[in-house]
């Protein structure tokens, strides 16, 4: 609950009115309690929260940024373009355990993509009450998609006009629409600062005790209708609102006859101001005393919650708060009715009672609440809780407030009051040092109760500090609350040592406020650096390969099995005289990585400032080190097995392809990216009598077993091909062999026997993807190739043979599913994309004719790429991808017009 600074700079991104309008519409068309829009950042691979309605921005700061590759619903929706509906906490835990660990409350959510014309702008999110299942909120999801589509269309037009459609600022935080109209009568009015005209509807005149037909429409007339004590404030309030600085809460005024009224003001659009006339019916829901004012339009007042001076939102009309041009002002005049009596009754209660709106603003407090919290009532109301009561700015208390804002369950907890001087005159009379806090959630408000509590302090509760004391270290206060389950769940998805290290950097380091990380792994009684971040360049180089007998903290923490904590760099230097330090100030933690009694390595956490490691923080860090050690040990086993499988697979793939004077071939193989098990894809070109056999296949599964099975199948197909057996016999024989081997796996395969002199080919397919054929004129077709079931399943399977013609200059493409399949997308889309890429790649450049090596390329139609160049082009995107979910095999073949001097052996990818 760190305090926020106001800043009147206009944010760099889409107009605030566009974004606030979207979340307002989203909440009105669903049963949502909060809504937000994530937009793409200018930084690649990042989404940023652009606007948040119904929740305090500072309280949800950890979710301001989302990496698109993280296992979170927002990231999934942006990547796949498919909406995600999470009906309740059980569904969230099942599908997104990391998200559930961060917000372990009973609520549901809907997430829909903001996409127009295949351009993804971001994600629209709504948080709502939990439902029994997704079917219960299906209709809401459809309405939310319509809102997202409208926002996407607006962003598409904005981008076409040269506007910015990304977001790199702090989020705009806006009040949500009220859940329903409150009791009381409401009148509307508007003021135009350019002309001075004041338009008041009939209900407002009635509330002011004026005849509607006789109101002259001036500020002076309005001032005469209210109590003289309030009249002098009205012009200043209206002028400040016109400049984008409306009052944060409704203002209490009394009529000339003494009646209590509430005045609520906000900057309006011209159309909104024009809509208010003498006969206009009130369209805004009434606002009770102490409630957040209802923003009846999408153009509501917005509040910026910037990171140390970031931008705040402007008024909803699209003008920034810093604009010099006054805007029209709209407002409501409210008779609070019995609500004022209720507030008056609460003022007399012996307990401290105060209310927060859904943005964390204190909208009501009785005198007792101000007394117990140590803040005068007039300084409490109208301010965010964490600004008015800074000693409540503690992570455990933030967690309770998050819970009541997201779920219907009340929260009860104890807080320790700030320390006060011990002079008798300043002691709290009869109150003790503790308050018992109770938070009760409502649709629009959170009602809070505070009563004195006499109790013995617990070590796990933070001690509050006075308003003049330095702010507690955010990381130190966050550490006891950090849930080991968050790191544990993230580590379950890490496969390699680098991925484990990356998770530690992303999850553990920020939670404790660390700035430096180094992970060393043990190999043959020496420690080797596996990951570093934040240390000066080259600083860790002298420690590479250090032996276990060296007197260094990173070594001794492993050899003794005890974590070492140094509150300052001076402590570290005193404990290890002569040790080289990377900084003059800071703190360090050295954690042993030990899994089931076996030493794995050591982990070093670095902090920029001195700090005290509390007992609970030391316990949590030590426990987390154990989780890291187990994950790292598992990752090392995986790395070893993956290296073995890759070596086996590379050894089994052909080192060179069989050649023919009239046929050119090119093969490419790409393994899955780091962290993906090695697959069983293969390709081959084999001499088959006076022709060539083109083969491609894919063994089901991954790992060493898949690679070994691939080697056996490749050998079998190669043996059948060398005997020039017909395609149907090759497939049938290989099928029987795989069934006899019984490896528990099946395989797909495509076998084409090509006659290089005529271009005629006979092909058979066993559950494999159909080949592509690019004709010399550029037309590219998916070859209609009837096939049988995959190999290794049915001993009676039949594999029909199809004949096709490969003309000179045509390209035949065989490929595996890794090249065309992406999670969340239909495989037919991938095949169509590959077909387009092959068509646009240009024909294979032909080699010079035999006996005339000086023949120019134009004479042989060689304006296209080489076949190897075409292969590189078709796999270029996959090579650049950081997330190849499967390995890839590609085999291309083309015929020449006549026999050439003989090509060089094709390069393997």
């Amino acid at each position: 609950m760190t305090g926020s600074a106001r800043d009147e700079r206009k944010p760099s991104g889409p107009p605030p009115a566009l974004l606030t309008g979207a979340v307002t519409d989203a909440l009105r068309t669903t049963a949502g309690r909060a809504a937000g829009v994530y937009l793409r950042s200018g930084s690649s691979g990042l989404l940023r929260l652009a606007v948040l309605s119904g929740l305090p921005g500072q309280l949800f700061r950890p979710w301001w940024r989302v990496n698109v590759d993280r296992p979170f619903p927002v990231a999934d929706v942006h990547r796949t373009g498919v909406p995600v509906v999470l009906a309740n906490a059980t569904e969230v835990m099942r599908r997104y355990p990391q998200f559930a660990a961060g917000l372990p409350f009973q609520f549901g959510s809907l997430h829909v993509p903001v996409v127009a014309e295949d351009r993804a702008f971001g994600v629209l999110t709504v948080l709502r009450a939990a439902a029994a299942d997704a079917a219960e909120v299906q209709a809401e999801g459809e309405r939310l998609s319509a809102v997202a589509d409208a926002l996407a269309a607006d962003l598409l037009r904005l981008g076409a006009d040269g506007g910015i459609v990304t977001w790199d600022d702090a989020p705009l935080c806006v009040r949500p629409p009220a859940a329903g109209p409150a009791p009381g009568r409401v009148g509307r009015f508007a003021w135009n600062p350019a002309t001075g005209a004041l338009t008041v509807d009939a209900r407002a005149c009635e509330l002011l005790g004026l005849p509607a037909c006789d109101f002259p429409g001036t500020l002076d007339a309005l001032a005469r209708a209210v109590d003289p004590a309030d009249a002098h404030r009205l012009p200043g309030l209206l002028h400040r609102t016109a400049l984008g600085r409306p009052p944060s809460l409704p203002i209490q005024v009394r009529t000339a006859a003494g009646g209590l009224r509430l005045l609520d003001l906000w900057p309006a659009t011209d159309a909104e101001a024009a809509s208010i006339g003498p006969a206009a019916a009130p369209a805004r829901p009434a606002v009770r005393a102490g409630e957040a004012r209802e923003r009846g339009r999408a153009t509501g007042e917005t509040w910026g919650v910037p990171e140390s001076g970031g931008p705040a939102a402007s008024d909803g009309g699209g003008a920034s708060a810093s604009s010099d041009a006054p805007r029209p002002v709209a407002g409501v005049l409210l008779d609070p009715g019995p609500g004022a009596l209720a507030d008056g009754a609460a003022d007399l209660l012996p307990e401290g009672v105060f209310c927060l709106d859904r943005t964390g603003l204190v909208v009501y407090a009785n005198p007792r609440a101000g007394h117990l919290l140590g803040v005068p009532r007039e300084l409490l109301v109208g301010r965010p809780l964490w600004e008015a009561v800074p000693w409540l700015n503690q992570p455990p208390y933030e967690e309770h407030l998050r819970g009541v804002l997201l779920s219907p369950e009340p929260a009860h907890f104890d807080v320790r009051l700030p320390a006060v001087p011990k002079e008798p005159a300043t002691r709290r009379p009869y109150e003790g040092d503790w308050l018992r806090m109770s938070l009760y959630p409502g649709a629009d408000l959170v009602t809070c109760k505070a009563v004195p509590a006499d109790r013995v302090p617990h070590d796990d509760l933070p001690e509050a500090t006075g308003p003049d004391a330095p702010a507690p270290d955010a990381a130190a206060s966050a550490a006891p609350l950090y849930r080991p389950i968050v790191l544990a769940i993230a580590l379950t998805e890490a496969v390699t040592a680098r991925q484990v290290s990356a998770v530690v950097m992303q999850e553990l380091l920020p939670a404790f406020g660390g700035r430096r990380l180094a992970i060393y792994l043990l190999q043959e009684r020496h420690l080797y650096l596996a990951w570093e971040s934040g240390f000066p360049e080259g600083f860790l180089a002298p420690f590479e390969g250090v032996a276990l007998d060296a007197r260094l903290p990173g070594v001794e923490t492993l050899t003794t099995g005890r974590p070492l904590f140094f509150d300052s760099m001076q402590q570290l230097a005193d404990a290890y005289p002569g040790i080289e330090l990377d900084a003059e100030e800071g703190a360090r933690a050295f954690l042993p990585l030990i899994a089931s009694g076996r030493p794995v390595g050591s982990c070093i956490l670095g902090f920029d400032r001195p700090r005290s490691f509390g007992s609970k923080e030391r316990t949590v860090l030590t426990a987390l080190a154990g989780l890291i050690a187990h994950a790292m040990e598992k990752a090392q086993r995986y790395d070893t097995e993956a290296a073995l499988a890759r070596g086996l697979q590379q050894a089994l793939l052909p080192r060179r392809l069989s050649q023919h004077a009239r046929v050119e071939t090119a093969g490419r193989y790409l393994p899955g990216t780091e962290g993906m098990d090695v697959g069983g894809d293969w390709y081959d070109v084999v001499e088959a009598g006076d022709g060539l056999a083109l083969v491609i296949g894919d063994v089901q599964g991954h790992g060493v077993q898949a690679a070994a099975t691939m080697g056996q199948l490749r050998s079998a197909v190669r043996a059948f091909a060398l005997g020039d057996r017909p395609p149907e016999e090759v497939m049938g024989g290989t099928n029987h062999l795989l069934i006899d081997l019984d490896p528990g796996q099946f395989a797909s395969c495509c076998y084409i026997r090509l006659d290089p002199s005529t271009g005629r080919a006979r092909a058979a397919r066993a559950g494999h993807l159909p080949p592509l054929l690019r004709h010399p004129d550029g037309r590219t077709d998916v070859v209609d190739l009837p096939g049988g079931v995959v190999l290794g399943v049915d001993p009676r399977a039949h594999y029909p043979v199809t004949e096709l013609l490969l003309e000179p200059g045509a390209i035949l493409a065989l490929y595996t599913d890794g090249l065309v399949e992406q999670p969340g997308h239909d495989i037919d889309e991938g095949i169509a994309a590959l077909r387009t890429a092959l068509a646009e790649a240009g024909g294979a450049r032909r080699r010079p004719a035999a006996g005339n090596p000086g023949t120019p390329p134009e004479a042989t139609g060689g304006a296209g790429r080489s076949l190897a160049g075409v292969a590189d082009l078709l796999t270029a995107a996959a090579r650049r991808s950081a997330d190849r979910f499967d390995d890839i095999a590609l085999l291309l073949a083309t015929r020449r017009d006549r026999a050439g001097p003989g090509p060089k052996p094709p390069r393997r990818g």
Side-chain angles (χ1 to χ4, degrees), residues 46-118:
L46 191 67
L47 294 174
R48 283 186 178 268
L49 184 62
V51 61
L52 178 65
S53 176
L55 292 172
Q58 285 296 127
L59 211 57
F60 290 82
R61 192 185 189 106
W63 294 272
W64 283 10
R65 297 162 34 128
V66 175
N67 289 315
V68 296
D69 58 350
R70 300 296 289 158
F72 283 81
V74 168
D76 274 2
V77 171
H78 182 68
R79 277 199 319 269
T80 65
V82 179
V84 169
V85 176
L86 303 171
N88 48 51
T90 303
E91 182 72 4
V92 177
M93 178 58 76
R94 182 181 69 82
R95 296 178 59 184
Y96 298 98
Q98 287 192 48
F99 183 55
L103 293 171
F105 310 115
Q106 186 58 254
F107 70 98
S109 58
L110 300 92
H111 314 265
V112 298
V114 180
V115 179
E117 295 185 7
D118 295 329

Side-chain angles (χ1 to χ4, degrees), residues 795-891:
R796 295 171 297 178
H798 172 66
Y799 299 97
V801 175
T802 302
E803 292 190 358
L804 56 107
L805 178 65
L806 184 64
E807 303 173 82
I811 300 176
L812 183 66
L814 307 179
Y815 53 94
T816 56
D817 55 0
L819 187 59
V820 295
E821 191 171 30
Q822 288 292 329
H825 295 272
D826 191 273
I827 195 170
D828 290 337
E829 297 177 10
I831 294 175
L834 179 62
R835 175 185 174 187
T836 301
L838 179 59
E840 295 175 351
R845 185 174 64 240
R846 303 172 192 168
R847 297 181 182 275
N852 187 11
T855 304
E858 293 80 9
T860 60
R865 293 180 175 86
S866 67
L867 195 65
V870 175
D872 289 337
L873 180 69
L874 297 183
T875 56
R879 289 179 186 276
R880 292 192 298 266
S881 174
D883 295 309
R884 289 196 299 273
F885 296 92
D886 199 357
D887 48 351
I888 293 169
L890 172 69
L891 179 62

Side-chain angles (χ1 to χ4, degrees), residues 536-597:
E537 185 176 357
F539 173 77
L540 297 177
F543 304 103
E544 181 71 3
V546 66
L548 291 186
D549 57 358
R551 190 173 186 275
L552 293 169
V555 174
E556 292 188 350
T557 189
L558 180 62
T559 55
T560 63
R562 297 194 306 270
L564 302 175
F565 298 95
F566 300 96
D567 295 349
S568 67
M569 301 303 286
Q570 186 60 49
Q571 277 191 12
L572 177 58
D574 293 342
Y576 292 88
I579 189 173
E580 186 176 355
L581 301 178
D582 61 294
E584 296 181 357
E585 291 190 355
R588 296 290 181 268
F590 297 83
L591 308 175
L593 302 182
I594 300 176
S596 303

